[in-house]
PDB file of all heavy atoms in Angstrom:
ATOM      1  N   PRO B 127      13.490 -21.437   3.075  1.00  0.00           N
ATOM      2  CA  PRO B 127      13.413 -20.036   2.660  1.00  0.00           C
ATOM      3  C   PRO B 127      12.792 -19.139   3.745  1.00  0.00           C
ATOM      4  O   PRO B 127      11.847 -19.543   4.426  1.00  0.00           O
ATOM      5  CB  PRO B 127      12.530 -20.079   1.415  1.00  0.00           C
ATOM      6  CG  PRO B 127      12.722 -21.455   0.869  1.00  0.00           C
ATOM      7  CD  PRO B 127      12.852 -22.336   2.083  1.00  0.00           C
ATOM      8  N   LEU B 128      13.347 -17.979   3.886  1.00  0.00           N
ATOM      9  CA  LEU B 128      12.781 -16.944   4.771  1.00  0.00           C
ATOM     10  C   LEU B 128      11.915 -16.054   3.887  1.00  0.00           C
ATOM     11  O   LEU B 128      12.419 -15.429   2.941  1.00  0.00           O
ATOM     12  CB  LEU B 128      13.904 -16.127   5.410  1.00  0.00           C
ATOM     13  CG  LEU B 128      13.481 -14.911   6.243  1.00  0.00           C
ATOM     14  CD1 LEU B 128      12.681 -15.333   7.473  1.00  0.00           C
ATOM     15  CD2 LEU B 128      14.706 -14.087   6.649  1.00  0.00           C
ATOM     16  N   LYS B 129      10.626 -16.040   4.177  1.00  0.00           N
ATOM     17  CA  LYS B 129       9.690 -15.258   3.364  1.00  0.00           C
ATOM     18  C   LYS B 129       9.078 -14.161   4.218  1.00  0.00           C
ATOM     19  O   LYS B 129       8.609 -14.432   5.327  1.00  0.00           O
ATOM     20  CB  LYS B 129       8.584 -16.158   2.810  1.00  0.00           C
ATOM     21  CG  LYS B 129       9.100 -17.286   1.913  1.00  0.00           C
ATOM     22  CD  LYS B 129       7.950 -18.093   1.338  1.00  0.00           C
ATOM     23  CE  LYS B 129       8.471 -19.247   0.486  1.00  0.00           C
ATOM     24  NZ  LYS B 129       7.374 -20.034  -0.125  1.00  0.00           N
ATOM     25  N   PHE B 130       9.084 -12.956   3.698  1.00  0.00           N
ATOM     26  CA  PHE B 130       8.477 -11.856   4.443  1.00  0.00           C
ATOM     27  C   PHE B 130       7.940 -10.813   3.483  1.00  0.00           C
ATOM     28  O   PHE B 130       8.354 -10.720   2.329  1.00  0.00           O
ATOM     29  CB  PHE B 130       9.459 -11.248   5.445  1.00  0.00           C
ATOM     30  CG  PHE B 130      10.747 -10.717   4.868  1.00  0.00           C
ATOM     31  CD1 PHE B 130      10.857  -9.395   4.478  1.00  0.00           C
ATOM     32  CD2 PHE B 130      11.865 -11.538   4.739  1.00  0.00           C
ATOM     33  CE1 PHE B 130      12.050  -8.901   3.964  1.00  0.00           C
ATOM     34  CE2 PHE B 130      13.070 -11.059   4.234  1.00  0.00           C
ATOM     35  CZ  PHE B 130      13.163  -9.737   3.842  1.00  0.00           C
ATOM     36  N   LEU B 131       6.979 -10.041   4.001  1.00  0.00           N
ATOM     37  CA  LEU B 131       6.479  -8.871   3.304  1.00  0.00           C
ATOM     38  C   LEU B 131       7.287  -7.674   3.769  1.00  0.00           C
ATOM     39  O   LEU B 131       7.627  -7.568   4.951  1.00  0.00           O
ATOM     40  CB  LEU B 131       4.996  -8.639   3.625  1.00  0.00           C
ATOM     41  CG  LEU B 131       4.062  -9.810   3.336  1.00  0.00           C
ATOM     42  CD1 LEU B 131       2.658  -9.477   3.836  1.00  0.00           C
ATOM     43  CD2 LEU B 131       4.041 -10.139   1.844  1.00  0.00           C
ATOM     44  N   CYS B 132       7.621  -6.777   2.851  1.00  0.00           N
ATOM     45  CA  CYS B 132       8.388  -5.584   3.202  1.00  0.00           C
ATOM     46  C   CYS B 132       7.836  -4.421   2.387  1.00  0.00           C
ATOM     47  O   CYS B 132       7.991  -4.385   1.154  1.00  0.00           O
ATOM     48  CB  CYS B 132       9.866  -5.790   2.903  1.00  0.00           C
ATOM     49  SG  CYS B 132      10.866  -4.339   3.291  1.00  0.00           S
ATOM     50  N   LEU B 133       7.197  -3.494   3.070  1.00  0.00           N
ATOM     51  CA  LEU B 133       6.544  -2.371   2.393  1.00  0.00           C
ATOM     52  C   LEU B 133       7.395  -1.123   2.456  1.00  0.00           C
ATOM     53  O   LEU B 133       8.105  -0.884   3.435  1.00  0.00           O
ATOM     54  CB  LEU B 133       5.184  -2.105   3.029  1.00  0.00           C
ATOM     55  CG  LEU B 133       4.176  -3.241   2.768  1.00  0.00           C
ATOM     56  CD1 LEU B 133       3.951  -4.083   3.987  1.00  0.00           C
ATOM     57  CD2 LEU B 133       2.860  -2.675   2.245  1.00  0.00           C
ATOM     58  N   VAL B 134       7.304  -0.353   1.399  1.00  0.00           N
ATOM     59  CA  VAL B 134       8.039   0.907   1.301  1.00  0.00           C
ATOM     60  C   VAL B 134       7.108   2.002   0.772  1.00  0.00           C
ATOM     61  O   VAL B 134       6.187   1.724   0.005  1.00  0.00           O
ATOM     62  CB  VAL B 134       9.248   0.805   0.331  1.00  0.00           C
ATOM     63  CG1 VAL B 134      10.348  -0.044   0.933  1.00  0.00           C
ATOM     64  CG2 VAL B 134       8.835   0.291  -1.029  1.00  0.00           C
ATOM     65  N   PRO B 135       7.353   3.240   1.169  1.00  0.00           N
ATOM     66  CA  PRO B 135       6.592   4.340   0.574  1.00  0.00           C
ATOM     67  C   PRO B 135       7.011   4.532  -0.886  1.00  0.00           C
ATOM     68  O   PRO B 135       8.157   4.229  -1.249  1.00  0.00           O
ATOM     69  CB  PRO B 135       6.986   5.550   1.426  1.00  0.00           C
ATOM     70  CG  PRO B 135       8.351   5.214   1.924  1.00  0.00           C
ATOM     71  CD  PRO B 135       8.362   3.714   2.127  1.00  0.00           C
ATOM     72  N   ASN B 136       6.121   5.017  -1.704  1.00  0.00           N
ATOM     73  CA  ASN B 136       6.463   5.245  -3.111  1.00  0.00           C
ATOM     74  C   ASN B 136       7.638   6.208  -3.258  1.00  0.00           C
ATOM     75  O   ASN B 136       8.374   6.144  -4.237  1.00  0.00           O
ATOM     76  CB  ASN B 136       5.261   5.804  -3.878  1.00  0.00           C
ATOM     77  CG  ASN B 136       4.189   4.756  -4.096  1.00  0.00           C
ATOM     78  OD1 ASN B 136       4.385   3.579  -3.791  1.00  0.00           O
ATOM     79  ND2 ASN B 136       3.055   5.177  -4.621  1.00  0.00           N
ATOM     80  N   SER B 137       7.832   7.052  -2.242  1.00  0.00           N
ATOM     81  CA  SER B 137       8.916   8.035  -2.316  1.00  0.00           C
ATOM     82  C   SER B 137      10.289   7.382  -2.275  1.00  0.00           C
ATOM     83  O   SER B 137      11.293   8.068  -2.431  1.00  0.00           O
ATOM     84  CB  SER B 137       8.789   9.025  -1.159  1.00  0.00           C
ATOM     85  OG  SER B 137       8.894   8.337   0.077  1.00  0.00           O
ATOM     86  N   HIS B 138      10.338   6.045  -2.054  1.00  0.00           N
ATOM     87  CA  HIS B 138      11.653   5.384  -2.035  1.00  0.00           C
ATOM     88  C   HIS B 138      12.349   5.505  -3.383  1.00  0.00           C
ATOM     89  O   HIS B 138      13.571   5.448  -3.463  1.00  0.00           O
ATOM     90  CB  HIS B 138      11.508   3.905  -1.671  1.00  0.00           C
ATOM     91  CG  HIS B 138      11.168   3.044  -2.825  1.00  0.00           C
ATOM     92  ND1 HIS B 138      12.105   2.328  -3.538  1.00  0.00           N
ATOM     93  CD2 HIS B 138       9.995   2.822  -3.447  1.00  0.00           C
ATOM     94  CE1 HIS B 138      11.513   1.694  -4.513  1.00  0.00           C
ATOM     95  NE2 HIS B 138      10.235   1.961  -4.487  1.00  0.00           N
ATOM     96  N   ARG B 139      11.576   5.654  -4.447  1.00  0.00           N
ATOM     97  CA  ARG B 139      12.200   5.728  -5.769  1.00  0.00           C
ATOM     98  C   ARG B 139      13.001   7.020  -5.884  1.00  0.00           C
ATOM     99  O   ARG B 139      12.495   8.093  -5.660  1.00  0.00           O
ATOM    100  CB  ARG B 139      11.155   5.681  -6.880  1.00  0.00           C
ATOM    101  CG  ARG B 139      10.463   4.337  -6.953  1.00  0.00           C
ATOM    102  CD  ARG B 139       9.679   4.191  -8.246  1.00  0.00           C
ATOM    103  NE  ARG B 139       8.798   3.031  -8.192  1.00  0.00           N
ATOM    104  CZ  ARG B 139       9.201   1.785  -8.388  1.00  0.00           C
ATOM    105  NH1 ARG B 139      10.449   1.521  -8.673  1.00  0.00           N
ATOM    106  NH2 ARG B 139       8.334   0.792  -8.315  1.00  0.00           N
ATOM    107  N   GLY B 140      14.260   6.855  -6.203  1.00  0.00           N
ATOM    108  CA  GLY B 140      15.116   8.021  -6.337  1.00  0.00           C
ATOM    109  C   GLY B 140      15.733   8.468  -5.031  1.00  0.00           C
ATOM    110  O   GLY B 140      16.584   9.346  -5.030  1.00  0.00           O
ATOM    111  N   ALA B 141      15.312   7.842  -3.927  1.00  0.00           N
ATOM    112  CA  ALA B 141      15.894   8.220  -2.638  1.00  0.00           C
ATOM    113  C   ALA B 141      17.299   7.642  -2.530  1.00  0.00           C
ATOM    114  O   ALA B 141      17.605   6.596  -3.090  1.00  0.00           O
ATOM    115  CB  ALA B 141      15.022   7.715  -1.499  1.00  0.00           C
ATOM    116  N   LYS B 142      18.153   8.324  -1.795  1.00  0.00           N
ATOM    117  CA  LYS B 142      19.538   7.900  -1.657  1.00  0.00           C
ATOM    118  C   LYS B 142      19.637   6.674  -0.749  1.00  0.00           C
ATOM    119  O   LYS B 142      19.005   6.626   0.301  1.00  0.00           O
ATOM    120  CB  LYS B 142      20.343   9.057  -1.052  1.00  0.00           C
ATOM    121  CG  LYS B 142      21.826   8.801  -1.020  1.00  0.00           C
ATOM    122  CD  LYS B 142      22.571   9.992  -0.417  1.00  0.00           C
ATOM    123  CE  LYS B 142      24.020   9.622  -0.186  1.00  0.00           C
ATOM    124  NZ  LYS B 142      24.568  10.308   0.986  1.00  0.00           N
ATOM    125  N   VAL B 143      20.399   5.694  -1.148  1.00  0.00           N
ATOM    126  CA  VAL B 143      20.622   4.492  -0.343  1.00  0.00           C
ATOM    127  C   VAL B 143      22.103   4.420  -0.015  1.00  0.00           C
ATOM    128  O   VAL B 143      22.946   4.566  -0.899  1.00  0.00           O
ATOM    129  CB  VAL B 143      20.192   3.215  -1.101  1.00  0.00           C
ATOM    130  CG1 VAL B 143      20.555   1.973  -0.302  1.00  0.00           C
ATOM    131  CG2 VAL B 143      18.705   3.250  -1.392  1.00  0.00           C
ATOM    132  N   THR B 144      22.411   4.211   1.262  1.00  0.00           N
ATOM    133  CA  THR B 144      23.797   4.089   1.692  1.00  0.00           C
ATOM    134  C   THR B 144      24.095   2.635   2.028  1.00  0.00           C
ATOM    135  O   THR B 144      23.456   2.059   2.897  1.00  0.00           O
ATOM    136  CB  THR B 144      24.050   4.958   2.941  1.00  0.00           C
ATOM    137  OG1 THR B 144      23.745   6.306   2.621  1.00  0.00           O
ATOM    138  CG2 THR B 144      25.508   4.858   3.386  1.00  0.00           C
ATOM    139  N   THR B 145      25.024   2.036   1.293  1.00  0.00           N
ATOM    140  CA  THR B 145      25.397   0.654   1.544  1.00  0.00           C
ATOM    141  C   THR B 145      26.838   0.635   2.052  1.00  0.00           C
ATOM    142  O   THR B 145      27.727   1.154   1.380  1.00  0.00           O
ATOM    143  CB  THR B 145      25.314  -0.177   0.248  1.00  0.00           C
ATOM    144  OG1 THR B 145      23.982  -0.085  -0.254  1.00  0.00           O
ATOM    145  CG2 THR B 145      25.642  -1.633   0.514  1.00  0.00           C
ATOM    146  N   PRO B 146      27.062   0.064   3.257  1.00  0.00           N
ATOM    147  CA  PRO B 146      28.436   0.001   3.752  1.00  0.00           C
ATOM    148  C   PRO B 146      29.346  -0.696   2.737  1.00  0.00           C
ATOM    149  O   PRO B 146      28.925  -1.613   2.033  1.00  0.00           O
ATOM    150  CB  PRO B 146      28.321  -0.811   5.042  1.00  0.00           C
ATOM    151  CG  PRO B 146      26.911  -0.558   5.495  1.00  0.00           C
ATOM    152  CD  PRO B 146      26.113  -0.461   4.227  1.00  0.00           C
ATOM    153  N   ALA B 147      30.611  -0.286   2.715  1.00  0.00           N
ATOM    154  CA  ALA B 147      31.533  -0.732   1.681  1.00  0.00           C
ATOM    155  C   ALA B 147      31.643  -2.235   1.596  1.00  0.00           C
ATOM    156  O   ALA B 147      31.678  -2.817   0.513  1.00  0.00           O
ATOM    157  CB  ALA B 147      32.917  -0.123   1.943  1.00  0.00           C
ATOM    158  N   GLU B 148      31.622  -2.912   2.759  1.00  0.00           N
ATOM    159  CA  GLU B 148      31.819  -4.373   2.732  1.00  0.00           C
ATOM    160  C   GLU B 148      30.678  -5.090   2.032  1.00  0.00           C
ATOM    161  O   GLU B 148      30.819  -6.233   1.613  1.00  0.00           O
ATOM    162  CB  GLU B 148      32.019  -4.938   4.161  1.00  0.00           C
ATOM    163  CG  GLU B 148      30.774  -4.869   5.039  1.00  0.00           C
ATOM    164  CD  GLU B 148      30.742  -3.616   5.882  1.00  0.00           C
ATOM    165  OE1 GLU B 148      31.224  -2.547   5.420  1.00  0.00           O
ATOM    166  OE2 GLU B 148      30.222  -3.696   7.001  1.00  0.00           O
ATOM    167  N   CYS B 149      29.553  -4.406   1.916  1.00  0.00           N
ATOM    168  CA  CYS B 149      28.408  -5.045   1.292  1.00  0.00           C
ATOM    169  C   CYS B 149      28.443  -4.967  -0.224  1.00  0.00           C
ATOM    170  O   CYS B 149      27.591  -5.521  -0.899  1.00  0.00           O
ATOM    171  CB  CYS B 149      27.121  -4.426   1.806  1.00  0.00           C
ATOM    172  SG  CYS B 149      26.852  -4.855   3.524  1.00  0.00           S
ATOM    173  N   ASP B 150      29.416  -4.245  -0.748  1.00  0.00           N
ATOM    174  CA  ASP B 150      29.535  -4.196  -2.194  1.00  0.00           C
ATOM    175  C   ASP B 150      30.173  -5.474  -2.731  1.00  0.00           C
ATOM    176  O   ASP B 150      30.191  -5.706  -3.932  1.00  0.00           O
ATOM    177  CB  ASP B 150      30.406  -2.989  -2.621  1.00  0.00           C
ATOM    178  CG  ASP B 150      29.674  -1.681  -2.338  1.00  0.00           C
ATOM    179  OD1 ASP B 150      28.423  -1.716  -2.233  1.00  0.00           O
ATOM    180  OD2 ASP B 150      30.350  -0.665  -2.188  1.00  0.00           O
ATOM    181  N   ARG B 151      30.672  -6.294  -1.824  1.00  0.00           N
ATOM    182  CA  ARG B 151      31.255  -7.566  -2.242  1.00  0.00           C
ATOM    183  C   ARG B 151      30.423  -8.707  -1.663  1.00  0.00           C
ATOM    184  O   ARG B 151      30.627  -9.112  -0.528  1.00  0.00           O
ATOM    185  CB  ARG B 151      32.701  -7.651  -1.739  1.00  0.00           C
ATOM    186  CG  ARG B 151      33.660  -6.745  -2.507  1.00  0.00           C
ATOM    187  CD  ARG B 151      35.054  -6.748  -1.902  1.00  0.00           C
ATOM    188  NE  ARG B 151      35.136  -5.768  -0.827  1.00  0.00           N
ATOM    189  CZ  ARG B 151      35.551  -6.055   0.410  1.00  0.00           C
ATOM    190  NH1 ARG B 151      35.897  -7.272   0.729  1.00  0.00           N
ATOM    191  NH2 ARG B 151      35.615  -5.113   1.320  1.00  0.00           N
ATOM    192  N   PRO B 152      29.469  -9.216  -2.449  1.00  0.00           N
ATOM    193  CA  PRO B 152      28.622 -10.298  -1.945  1.00  0.00           C
ATOM    194  C   PRO B 152      29.464 -11.503  -1.507  1.00  0.00           C
ATOM    195  O   PRO B 152      30.469 -11.812  -2.145  1.00  0.00           O
ATOM    196  CB  PRO B 152      27.739 -10.652  -3.150  1.00  0.00           C
ATOM    197  CG  PRO B 152      27.760  -9.438  -3.994  1.00  0.00           C
ATOM    198  CD  PRO B 152      29.104  -8.816  -3.799  1.00  0.00           C
ATOM    199  N   ILE B 153      29.032 -12.130  -0.428  1.00  0.00           N
ATOM    200  CA  ILE B 153      29.738 -13.289   0.135  1.00  0.00           C
ATOM    201  C   ILE B 153      28.891 -14.528  -0.068  1.00  0.00           C
ATOM    202  O   ILE B 153      27.670 -14.473   0.008  1.00  0.00           O
ATOM    203  CB  ILE B 153      29.959 -13.063   1.651  1.00  0.00           C
ATOM    204  CG1 ILE B 153      30.758 -11.781   1.884  1.00  0.00           C
ATOM    205  CG2 ILE B 153      30.666 -14.258   2.284  1.00  0.00           C
ATOM    206  CD1 ILE B 153      30.647 -11.267   3.312  1.00  0.00           C
ATOM    207  N   GLY B 154      29.526 -15.673  -0.273  1.00  0.00           N
ATOM    208  CA  GLY B 154      28.805 -16.936  -0.270  1.00  0.00           C
ATOM    209  C   GLY B 154      28.191 -17.247  -1.609  1.00  0.00           C
ATOM    210  O   GLY B 154      28.295 -16.465  -2.542  1.00  0.00           O
TER     211      GLY B 154
END
Side-chain angles (χ1 to χ4, degrees):
Chain B
L128 174 65
K129 300 183 182 182
F130 58 92
L131 304 174
C132 179
L133 292 106
V134 289
N136 288 353
S137 61
H138 84 97
R139 293 193 192 280
K142 187 180 171 212
V143 175
T144 301
T145 302
E148 68 266 34
C149 291
D150 291 338
R151 287 174 274 126
I153 302 162

